[in-house]
Amino acid sequence: MNMQAMMKQAQKLQKDMLNIKNEIDNTIFEGESNLVHVKVNGKKEVLEVNIDMNELEKDDKDILQDMIVVALNDAFKKVDKTTEDKMSKFGNIPGLF
């Protein structure tokens, strides 16, 4: 394979990888726990937190804080899983994303 063909292939690979990364960054992932529902984007930025106040007692602050952490971690795991699944076709390139 000549050098020009390899460069074209590398540029296409880079473009494909950036397109997938942009797709993931713009996808909304949802995480849940008992009282809390959160939405984050693929950049792991929190977009929304919803709390079911009907089930919440006034003294449940500590439980609620724990539920928020669980819901956020659930959403972040989904971001990581989607990123891993979609980027795995490019092989294991350390430090890529």
Side-chain angles (χ1 to χ4, degrees):
M1 180 180 277
N2 67 33
M3 185 62 90
Q4 187 176 11
M6 285 183 8
M7 289 298 292
K8 272 189 168 184
Q9 186 177 10
Q11 287 173 338
K12 182 186 179 325
L13 182 65
Q14 183 180 27
K15 182 181 175 186
D16 291 346
M17 291 167 59
L18 287 174
N19 286 340
I20 289 173
K21 180 66 174 143
N22 285 334
E23 177 187 331
I24 292 169
D25 286 350
N26 292 308
T27 300
I28 295 175
F29 297 86
E30 298 183 33
E32 297 181 75
S33 65
N34 292 344
L35 306 173
V36 180
H37 184 93
V38 298
K39 292 183 181 180
V40 302
N41 63 22
K43 295 181 266 186
K44 297 184 179 179
E45 297 170 332
V46 178
L47 304 174
E48 189 176 304
V49 176
N50 290 309
I51 301 167
D52 184 0
M53 296 301 289
N54 295 330
E55 299 292 324
L56 190 62
E57 304 266 333
K58 289 184 181 181
D59 297 329
D60 287 340
K61 179 181 175 187
D62 291 336
I63 293 172
L64 179 59
Q65 290 171 333
D66 290 342
M67 293 295 170
I68 292 170
V69 169
V70 169
L72 287 169
N73 286 333
D74 181 45
F76 293 151
K77 284 178 187 174
K78 291 174 183 176
V79 172
D80 291 341
K81 175 80 170 105
T82 298
T83 301
E84 182 181 318
D85 290 347
K86 291 189 176 207
M87 299 304 275
S88 66
K89 71 179 181 180
F90 299 109
N92 187 12
I93 303 172
L96 185 60
F97 287 103

